Amino acid sequence: MSQRHEAARPTRPRLEPLPEEQWDPRTRELLAAAPHDPEGGIPNIFTTLVRHPDLYEQFMPFGGQLLGAGRLPGDVRELLILRTARNTGSRYEWGRHLPLARAAGVTEADIDRIGEGPEAPGWTDLRRHLIRAADELHREATLSDTTWESLAEHFDEAELIEIAMLVGQYHMVAFFLNATGVELEPGVDSTGFAEGRVGT
């Protein structure tokens, strides 16, 4: 299964980021509000997705709600996103979220064991349940009763909804990134990412 996955992965971008000289006034306005890197550049995900400006315009508020205004603690959110990045084989998603995970308090030890899955030694019970939730959603498109009940001991109804929606959102983002071949920007750290999916 992982061999088929790797064979389908583009070796170069199928869609290049839209060059600035091709930005029309609407594109310029849309990208002005996009998150910028510290050096002022706009990440490739946005300059590629903006090739579909109507979709971009609707996507950004939803993604922003989950990423910047969601109810989940930052470390929980980023742990779920990083496991999803590993499950979907998305180096771009992994690399862009590593610094966010570190800033949110995900430890280097936890980052190192993300690829090992929920049975890796060293997880707290809660983080083990979160990794298992990401895996179950990836494989089965649902959560087992055991995982749901374990998470319900720590999260309220809205947060449980958000866990499922967050993992689904970052699957969708990974599908876009992988299918179009969006490349990680030079200098962005993707340490710890292993090629291929871990959740088969």
Side-chain angles (χ1 to χ4, degrees):
M1 185 169 186
S2 61
Q3 288 180 341
R4 281 203 309 274
H5 180 77
E6 286 306 303
R9 185 176 303 283
T11 57
R12 58 186 177 82
R14 290 173 171 155
L15 293 176
E16 295 281 353
L18 189 66
E20 188 168 359
E21 60 268 21
Q22 295 181 26
W23 296 0
D24 61 20
R26 184 185 182 200
T27 300
R28 198 167 296 280
E29 181 180 356
L30 289 171
L31 290 175
H36 287 51
D37 285 331
E39 301 77 18
I42 302 174
N44 290 340
I45 182 174
F46 303 123
T47 51
T48 304
L49 183 59
V50 81
R51 288 181 174 278
H52 190 329
D54 294 339
L55 184 60
Y56 178 99
E57 190 170 28
Q58 298 302 313
F59 167 83
M60 291 299 284
F62 181 70
Q65 172 66 33
L66 286 171
L67 187 60
R71 296 183 179 224
L72 296 174
D75 61 329
V76 168
R77 180 192 69 233
E78 294 302 324
L79 194 72
L80 289 166
I81 293 171
L82 287 180
R83 182 60 179 175
T84 299
R86 288 296 303 273
N87 281 340
T88 56
S90 179
R91 177 182 291 278
Y92 191 96
E93 197 164 83
W94 176 271
R96 295 301 308 198
H97 280 270
L98 264 184
L100 299 178
R102 289 169 174 146
V106 179
T107 66
E108 292 300 321
D110 278 352
I111 290 169
D112 289 344
R113 67 174 63 95
I114 284 173
E116 300 176 41
E119 304 311 317
W123 288 122
T124 65
D125 285 344
L126 172 56
R127 294 197 169 191
R128 188 182 310 280
H129 297 321
L130 290 166
I131 296 295
R132 186 171 288 117
D135 288 2
E136 290 178 359
L137 288 165
H138 175 69
R139 290 191 311 264
E140 310 296 338
T142 190
L143 294 174
S144 66
D145 287 343
T146 299
T147 298
W148 177 270
E149 290 161 7
S150 297
L151 292 175
E153 294 178 6
H154 302 273
F155 301 104
D156 64 23
E157 292 177 350
E159 291 166 334
L160 290 167
I161 291 170
E162 194 166 313
I163 287 170
M165 295 291 282
L166 179 77
V167 173
Q169 154 81 352
Y170 280 91
H171 271 80
M172 180 177 68
V173 171
F175 295 163
F176 160 69
L177 293 167
N178 291 346
T180 60
V182 175
E183 292 186 321
L184 202 56
E185 294 79 12
V188 175
D189 179 19
S190 61
T191 301
F193 183 84
E195 294 296 344
R197 297 186 306 188
V198 296
T200 56

